[in-house]
Amino acid sequence: MALTSPESKVWWNEPVGRAELTWIAIAFLWGVFMFSMMVWWHLEGNQNLSNEVYRVSPAKFEAKVEAFTEKYKVREEADIPVAKPEPGADVYMLSRLWEWWPILELKKGQTYRLHLSSMDWQHGFSLQPVNINIQVHPNLEHVITLTPTQTGEFSVVCNEFCGVGHHTMVGRIHVVD
Amino acid sequence: MSITADTTVIGGIAAKFRTCPATGLQVDLAAERLIKANAVAAIVFLAIGGLFGLLVALTRWPAVHLLSSDMFYLVLTAHGLDVLLVWIIFFEMAVLYFASAIILNCRLAAPRIGWLGFALMLVGALLTNVTVLQGDASVMFTSYVPMQAPPNFYLGLILFAVGALLGCFIFLGTLVIAKEEKTYEGSIPLVTFGALTACIIAVFTIASGAIILIPTWLWSLGYISHIDTVMYKLVWWAMGHSSQQINMAAQVAIWYAIPAMLLGAKPLSEKVSRSAFLMYILFLQLASAHHMLVEPGISSEWKVFNTSYAIYLAVLGSMIHGMSIPGAIEAAQRRNGFTNGVFEWLRRAPWGNPAFAGMFLSLVLFGFLGGISGVVLGTEQINIMLHNTLYVPGHFHATVVAGTTLAFMAITYLLVPLIFQREIIWPRLAKWQPYLFGLGAAGISLFMMGAGTLGVSRRHWDITFSDAALSFDYPPAAFLMLGLNGLSGILAAIGGGLFVVIIVASVLFGKKVDASNVVAALGPTPQKQMSDTVSTYGSAGTFHLPGTYILVSIFFTAFVLYYFVNWKYLSELWQLG
């Protein structure tokens, strides 16, 4: 039994039952299939995370976000500026304790290059209720190509623990026609 | 019990043994004392960490919302630390000593080093706990840089890890002694092979922990100015996730051990089961990638290869165990005479024995809830929908609580009579304990996964965002999920509390076990009606296990369906490229 040494000393030469062999073959092929799914989705799927990343200091990224916001600001909401960039533009959102800044207004069906980075600790970009979740690091500028397919008011929740104010960290993205 | 403590002198080292009344094996008293100490420490931390877990569940329940925000983050940090690390590693030390010295009928290598390791682990666990409870180290179990905890938080973890490493070396040393002194013939038993797998993964895990925690400790002290945030996560998770693979190997070893003890089950094929363990050794450590799938700065090629454990070869190992363990039980039960129909072997299994019930529930819940959700969660693109949501703790409560913790509870019901030499008191209560705990743990897992699918963030105090400048509400169903999660938490806490009380009371006040009552003390086992229907194992065509084939088919169907449902959800997401 499993608590004693194998009965047959040459256990590695024993034949394996057909049912077990069949199951091993099925499980192996299923693994190959699941692996191929991820590769295939990179080629054919529409939901893949971009690998475009740059090193950036928090101060430099903040300056870029401020210039962007100034250029495209259309109004304010709860004292936070709302930026409405032209379709296809590079858009910026920074995270810091405990806010996402600025608010964005995007057009449905248009593709944007969204730049994300953190001013301090790690944060979690969690777009709700769409449910897109991306980790945000300081010193790294992640450029995500994003195409909204719904209109409405969407929230950006922080889903990486970032201290006592973590649960107050909410940002906003509007999508209009 | 007549402790016939023979003193055996081997190579100038004296070891004292007693003879086990159940198996006739020589039990090294030094090993026995170390097993007792580690198991007791484990259960104490399970009780503390479990209580913290209940407080977390009651705070997440919006209608109760028990703790203040700073207390919630403090308690959540302590909960992760005490159950995910301290309870499990202490218990694994007991498993390693048992699987080496006791099963191999051998003396334990260097018991004094074992006590040093135990002391280091205890001091380390206490130091980190005290630092967290003082309130300046609510950084979560993962302590992602650049968030910083006081130096003692990291120092305690380092001491704990060094202590565990000593335990691993003692295990390996004992294997060498057993081989030298020929205490067994042929190859080591499968259970010991599983424990060896756990030990090898543990050494890798602890080395990774040292590589990242020592610089982080020096950074916290001010000697190092910068720790790279992505590198930290990569190496930290080589400890954090691999340590769960220690559990995996240890719990699979227990899944083989309990049916062997209670039913006389043998593996269907030694070769297949050992190869499956080998897959764990070779591939499970790649799991650090599971935490890096939506990080910037890492290529998709790396993510796809690593997250799949090299084309799912470690998952293949688990799927093999998933057939060979119920298969071994079915074969043993059929040999014991339960040959009617497809499922008599399962119906007439010793469901009233908490060791068997706990083991089987652990196997089923781990496979269906933890295994399937883990593969789905670890699919590179699907992770975009689930990363850092409550789905993640939902998944690992299925693996670590319903899987590992329940398996460890199950084997404890056998360790008490065999090692502590006491009967389980209140056997009727003990009979219900695994069901209560299993049901609670399954509920916690399912409802957190449900909330996570709806987008709810993990490690989050207030899902109503009442203090936020911009308002947001999760869907109403999420509130229902978290209420049900709270109720399940209460159920699991009752089951876990019962376990602690039953075991502590049995160890202190249980009737002594000797040759006259040792078999009864192991709990009910099926009435054996030995027949020769299945006389040999490991050779093709000698057995037919229809019940197992059906169970495995159900599992595989659920796996495939759930996998594709998630791809469908993903295809409806906003386009990302």
Side-chain angles (χ1 to χ4, degrees):
Chain A
M1 60 182 190
L3 291 161
T4 50
S5 293
E7 283 162 30
S8 152
K9 275 200 174 178
V10 207
W11 49 266
W12 54 87
N13 267 346
E14 285 176 341
V16 179
R18 184 175 296 165
E20 238 183 339
L21 280 178
T22 309
W23 175 236
I24 293 169
I26 292 172
F28 175 74
L29 291 174
W30 174 237
V32 172
F33 175 82
M34 291 194 297
F35 179 81
S36 311
M37 263 310 275
M38 288 192 281
V39 177
W40 179 71
W41 202 262
H42 272 285
L43 303 174
E44 298 292 331
N46 287 322
Q47 289 81 16
N48 289 292
L49 196 60
S50 139
N51 284 321
E52 190 179 342
V53 181
Y54 305 95
R55 289 212 173 271
V56 67
S57 71
K60 203 171 165 193
F61 188 77
E62 187 178 28
K64 285 204 259 186
V65 182
E66 278 174 359
F68 159 81
T69 309
E70 198 160 312
K71 185 172 171 192
Y72 291 114
K73 180 174 166 184
V74 287
R75 61 175 190 277
E76 285 195 350
E77 255 178 65
D79 294 333
I80 305 164
V82 180
K84 186 175 182 182
E86 75 246 21
D90 281 75
V91 302
Y92 291 82
M93 187 181 267
L94 65 74
S95 56
R96 66 184 151 214
L97 307 172
W98 288 282
E99 64 170 350
W100 298 95
W101 195 91
I103 293 173
L104 300 175
E105 188 167 307
L106 308 177
K107 281 190 94 168
K108 181 184 164 184
Q110 299 294 332
T111 301
Y112 298 86
R113 284 164 51 79
L114 172 62
H115 297 239
L116 293 172
S117 189
S118 165
M119 297 295 101
D120 34 59
W121 293 344
Q122 291 183 41
H123 297 285
F125 174 93
S126 176
L127 185 67
Q128 295 299 335
V130 185
N131 216 359
I132 290 175
N133 306 280
I134 299 164
Q135 190 81 14
V136 183
H137 285 254
N139 302 308
L140 292 176
E141 181 174 346
H142 195 178
V143 187
I144 291 136
T145 313
L146 188 73
T147 314
T149 52
Q150 298 160 283
T151 56
E153 183 185 284
F154 299 93
S155 297
V156 181
V157 173
C158 178
N159 72 1
E160 182 56 74
F161 174 69
C162 58
V164 287
H166 168 51
H167 47 270
T168 65
M169 187 168 165
V170 179
R172 180 84 77 230
I173 294 180
H174 296 283
V175 181
V176 295
D177 267 321
Chain B
M1 171 68 208
S2 56
I3 297 179
T4 51
D6 298 324
T7 306
T8 315
V9 181
I10 309 156
I13 300 160
K16 286 193 168 147
F17 293 96
R18 69 175 173 87
T19 304
C20 173
T23 59
L25 288 176
Q26 299 265 68
V27 178
D28 178 6
L29 296 181
E32 188 172 82
R33 279 191 292 272
L34 270 168
I35 292 170
K36 286 182 185 175
N38 280 283
V40 167
I43 288 172
V44 169
F45 279 100
L46 173 67
I48 298 169
L51 185 65
F52 287 146
L54 178 64
L55 297 178
V56 169
L58 291 179
T59 307
R60 285 216 173 108
W61 188 348
V64 179
H65 213 228
L66 184 69
L67 300 177
S68 65
S69 62
D70 48 348
M71 274 309 283
F72 173 75
Y73 294 129
L74 183 153
V75 163
L76 186 53
T77 305
H79 169 61
L81 203 72
D82 283 334
V83 279
L84 208 52
L85 196 72
V86 182
W87 135 251
I88 280 174
I89 304 270
F90 264 125
F91 199 87
E92 272 157 3
M93 291 299 123
V95 170
L96 288 186
Y97 298 145
F98 183 82
S100 54
I102 308 299
I103 293 182
L104 294 181
N105 203 19
C106 178
R107 67 183 168 89
L108 192 75
R112 282 192 184 165
I113 305 286
W115 284 107
L116 176 64
F118 176 78
L120 281 173
M121 287 171 71
L122 195 60
V123 169
L126 290 174
L127 184 60
T128 302
N129 260 289
V130 167
T131 311
V132 170
L133 293 177
Q134 281 171 342
D136 297 325
S138 298
V139 293
M140 299 295 131
F141 176 50
T142 46
S143 57
Y144 287 150
V145 298
M147 187 184 277
Q148 197 176 55
N152 282 346
F153 176 86
Y154 308 106
L155 181 62
L157 293 177
I158 293 167
L159 293 176
F160 184 81
V162 171
L165 191 60
L166 292 178
C168 291
F169 288 146
I170 289 171
F171 171 80
L172 295 172
T174 307
L175 292 194
V176 173
I177 292 174
K179 181 116 192 130
E180 283 278 293
E181 296 173 2
K182 297 190 172 57
T183 62
Y184 63 96
E185 280 185 31
S187 303
I188 53 174
L190 182 62
V191 170
T192 307
F193 193 84
L196 176 60
T197 303
C199 176
I200 292 170
I201 297 174
V203 172
F204 170 87
T205 296
I206 294 165
S208 306
I211 289 169
I212 199 62
L213 286 174
I214 292 172
T216 308
W217 176 50
L218 295 173
W219 168 72
S220 173
L221 284 167
Y223 295 119
I224 289 179
S225 62
H226 178 74
I227 304 263
D228 184 87
T229 53
V230 179
M231 180 56 79
Y232 176 90
K233 278 180 105 164
L234 176 72
V235 185
W236 194 93
W237 279 112
M239 170 188 74
H241 206 114
S242 302
S243 67
Q244 308 317 311
Q245 321 293 15
I246 314 173
N247 307 342
M248 185 69 212
Q251 102 199 9
V252 174
I254 288 170
W255 290 342
Y256 280 109
I258 291 176
M261 287 187 200
L262 296 179
L263 310 171
K266 303 173 190 180
L268 297 181
S269 159
E270 291 278 355
K271 177 163 60 178
V272 169
S273 294
R274 281 165 204 250
S275 305
F277 275 122
L278 186 64
M279 305 246 186
Y280 286 175
I281 298 176
L282 295 177
F283 303 113
L284 268 182
Q285 288 90 328
L286 305 183
S288 178
H290 292 178
H291 305 266
M292 317 290 293
L293 294 176
V294 296
E295 303 303 297
I298 298 171
S299 74
S300 295
E301 291 84 351
W302 185 92
K303 288 174 181 173
V304 167
F305 181 79
N306 284 272
T307 196
S308 71
Y309 299 114
I311 321 190
Y312 293 102
L313 289 176
V315 174
L316 176 63
S318 289
M319 288 173 81
I320 291 173
H321 291 307
M323 175 168 192
S324 62
I325 293 167
I329 295 172
E330 179 170 2
Q333 283 286 81
R334 286 184 182 275
R335 190 194 44 179
N336 291 342
F338 302 110
T339 52
N340 287 332
V342 177
F343 281 122
E344 193 197 18
W345 63 275
L346 191 60
R347 266 199 329 276
R348 303 275 299 269
W351 295 107
N353 187 322
F356 180 84
M359 170 268 149
F360 205 89
L361 279 177
S362 155
L363 172 70
V364 170
L365 294 176
F366 182 94
F368 276 85
L369 297 183
I372 294 176
S373 70
V375 170
V376 168
L377 183 56
T379 302
E380 192 209 2
Q381 292 93 342
I382 292 175
N383 189 261
I384 296 171
M385 297 189 295
L386 301 171
H387 172 75
N388 267 0
T389 66
L390 272 178
Y391 193 93
V392 179
H395 154 69
F396 71 70
H397 279 74
T399 56
V400 181
V401 185
T404 307
T405 299
L406 193 49
F408 287 3
M409 285 175 170
I411 193 92
T412 305
Y413 285 109
L414 300 179
L415 288 182
V416 169
L418 290 175
I419 297 295
F420 288 88
Q421 296 166 272
R422 300 283 185 158
E423 279 187 8
I424 298 289
I425 58 174
W426 314 314
R428 279 203 187 153
L429 209 53
K431 192 167 109 176
W432 289 104
Q433 187 274 326
Y435 296 99
L436 275 176
F437 187 78
L439 195 63
I444 291 171
S445 311
L446 274 173
F447 298 126
M448 277 204 282
M449 284 194 251
T453 307
L454 296 167
V456 180
S457 166
R458 69 186 291 199
R459 297 173 166 177
H460 200 281
W461 175 66
D462 178 18
I463 67 160
T464 63
F465 300 92
S466 50
D467 297 333
L470 297 167
S471 65
F472 171 64
D473 281 319
Y474 285 113
F479 288 74
L480 175 68
M481 291 288 174
L482 289 176
L484 292 169
N485 174 57
L487 289 172
S488 306
I490 293 173
L491 200 59
I494 293 171
L498 265 182
F499 170 77
V500 172
V501 170
I502 290 169
I503 298 302
V504 170
S506 301
V507 167
L508 293 177
F509 311 113
K511 202 177 141 204
K512 292 236 162 138
V513 166
D514 57 30
S516 67
N517 61 350
V518 68
V519 175
L522 296 178
T525 47
Q527 201 65 43
K528 292 205 169 69
Q529 313 156 18
M530 289 297 203
S531 74
D532 290 332
T533 45
V534 182
S535 54
T536 55
Y537 289 80
S539 52
T542 53
F543 52 87
H544 181 56
L545 306 168
T548 299
Y549 306 155
I550 291 174
L551 293 180
V552 169
S553 307
I554 294 171
F555 168 78
F556 189 63
T557 309
F559 193 167
V560 172
L561 288 177
Y562 188 68
Y563 183 74
F564 282 116
V565 163
N566 279 280
W567 278 107
K568 185 182 174 297
Y569 283 143
L570 182 75
S571 70
E572 293 163 356
L573 219 57
W574 290 12
Q575 292 185 6
L576 292 162

